[in-house]
Amino acid sequence: MKIFTERTQIQNVIRQNKTRNLSIGFVPTMGALHDGHLFLVKEALKENQVVVVSIFVNPTQFDNKDDLKKYPRTLDNDVELLESVSKDILIYAPTVADIYNGQTVSEAFDFDGLEFEMEGRFRSGHFDGVGTVVKRLLEIVTPDNAYFGKKDYQQLMIIKKLVEKQQIPVNIVGCDIYREVNGLAMSSRNVRLKREYREAAPFIFKTLQTAKNKFGTKSANKVTEWVENEFAKHKFLKLEYFIIADAVTLKSVKRKNKNKKYRAFVAVYADDIRLIDNIALN
Ligand code: PAF
């Protein structure tokens, strides 16, 4: 297993592979890998001859310093998990200095308003941080294909906008949400859930599924009201937002249009752990 901590090292290896005309797939992660990440890695392995996985907890995308401090860092375990999938994966696990070169700050981006919806309202500066690190990682790795999960659907749409506006030559692949058997969307944060919150958390996806059924016959407002009431009654989960939005513009929907695609998005606190999820409605 090859682990690189400096951009020049990984760039050398990538260059050698490119001169042999091998396609490069890339899965950027913040580590604390779980089956959801491995699903992305397996997709990348199917579609590319060389796969790079980055493991980097990006400081500029955390609006909450405590969350950054508590973010799980499990490099040895991550390497073992990746090795169980393929010993040929190239791991790039840079230091903050290798990415930020002494200036750990975000660039300011214009994502045509996508950044102001949902997560953007509650996590100030988050998408500038994501845009900054993803742009740098894509410039270092220069992949043909890069893989992102739809659990962070807004992030996926923003990254598509980033590569379009910055003219970064890469194909962005969005992969389906990988769930535990009980429906809970896999997340590196799940390991921090205390027992009663872990048991309560599948309620999030169950509620999204019922909301999807209701959306077939009811207005977005009525469904939203129903979801808000369900969470208001819940003993362990605190709703931050539930929004039904246009799947392309991410703007919340007032009146349904049968020619448009919609998704429901939710952010919930389970104790001090923030969980997000979403579902396609039509
Ligand atoms: O989704 C994540 O894990 C992160 O936001 C990403 C894309 C690796 C950027 O740090």
Side-chain angles (χ1 to χ4, degrees):
M1 204 73 178
K2 294 201 178 75
I3 305 172
F4 305 91
T5 53
E6 285 173 29
R7 66 166 72 192
T8 47
Q9 302 168 333
I10 186 120
Q11 280 173 320
N12 275 337
V13 177
I14 290 170
R15 209 171 296 126
Q16 285 161 20
N17 283 299
K18 287 204 162 187
T19 53
R20 294 168 58 211
N21 270 332
L22 300 181
S23 57
I24 312 285
F26 178 41
V27 183
T29 81
M30 296 208 297
L33 300 185
H34 50 65
D35 287 348
H37 294 111
L38 298 187
F39 176 63
L40 299 182
V41 172
K42 286 175 192 162
E43 288 301 297
L45 283 163
K46 269 191 235 159
E47 295 168 5
N48 302 273
Q49 289 151 308
V50 177
V51 169
V52 179
V53 175
S54 65
I55 296 177
F56 178 64
V57 181
N58 172 36
T60 63
Q61 72 187 74
F62 285 81
D63 53 321
N64 177 336
K65 293 290 160 239
D66 199 42
D67 198 20
L68 171 61
K69 213 168 76 192
K70 287 189 185 150
Y71 203 85
R73 288 159 173 88
T74 56
L75 184 61
D76 290 348
N77 193 51
D78 293 345
V79 173
E80 240 174 70
L81 282 175
L82 290 172
E83 211 162 15
S84 72
V85 176
S86 162
K87 292 197 184 355
D88 296 328
I89 294 167
L90 305 175
I91 301 176
Y92 176 43
T95 56
V96 173
D98 199 52
I99 296 290
Y100 285 101
N101 199 12
Q103 293 230 306
T104 315
V105 286
S106 298
E107 277 176 58
F109 292 99
D110 173 0
F111 296 120
D112 291 348
L114 293 175
E115 69 275 35
F116 302 126
E117 306 298 332
M118 299 180 298
E119 292 295 284
R121 296 209 182 144
F122 293 91
R123 304 184 69 188
S124 139
H126 171 67
F127 288 121
D128 278 340
V130 171
T132 303
V133 77
V134 170
K135 184 175 163 215
R136 288 181 191 195
L137 289 168
L138 290 174
E139 284 166 355
I140 293 167
V141 177
T142 61
D144 299 286
N145 302 297
Y147 296 78
F148 296 86
K150 287 188 187 164
K151 182 174 85 68
D152 298 293
Y153 185 87
Q154 186 174 11
Q155 167 174 284
L156 170 66
M157 297 304 279
I158 281 179
I159 289 166
K160 285 187 174 172
K161 185 64 78 180
L162 172 84
V163 305
E164 176 198 316
K165 289 193 122 180
Q166 305 277 328
Q167 301 186 347
I168 305 172
V170 58
N171 174 39
I172 300 297
V173 184
C175 299
D176 285 342
I177 301 175
Y178 203 79
R179 298 183 181 280
E180 296 186 4
V181 180
N182 60 22
L184 177 64
M186 294 228 177
S187 162
S188 303
R189 292 190 163 90
N190 293 355
V191 292
R192 288 177 48 216
L193 290 169
K194 290 186 202 129
R195 191 180 51 82
E196 61 272 38
Y197 292 94
R198 182 164 251 286
E199 283 170 10
F203 179 82
I204 300 169
F205 183 53
K206 282 205 189 80
T207 309
L208 283 180
Q209 284 175 307
T210 313
K212 175 178 177 145
N213 288 339
K214 288 186 183 291
F215 190 70
T217 54
K218 292 190 169 31
S219 71
N221 275 347
K222 281 268 175 273
V223 177
T224 305
E225 223 171 83
W226 176 80
V227 170
E228 286 173 353
N229 277 331
E230 287 302 292
F231 277 99
K233 288 186 278 182
H234 202 285
K235 195 167 152 209
F236 292 109
L237 304 174
K238 194 165 160 280
L239 183 67
E240 186 170 59
Y241 67 75
F242 171 84
I243 290 172
I244 294 179
D246 181 304
V248 178
T249 64
L250 304 184
K251 294 221 174 302
S252 76
V253 174
K254 300 283 170 282
R255 188 163 300 186
K256 287 191 249 180
N257 173 335
K258 64 177 180 353
N259 299 318
K260 293 199 164 166
K261 292 268 176 238
Y262 298 111
R263 285 184 96 88
F265 298 86
V266 69
V268 171
Y269 274 96
D271 202 7
D272 61 340
I273 297 162
R274 191 170 181 277
L275 302 172
I276 60 169
D277 202 349
N278 67 84
I279 193 169
L281 295 178
N282 60 342

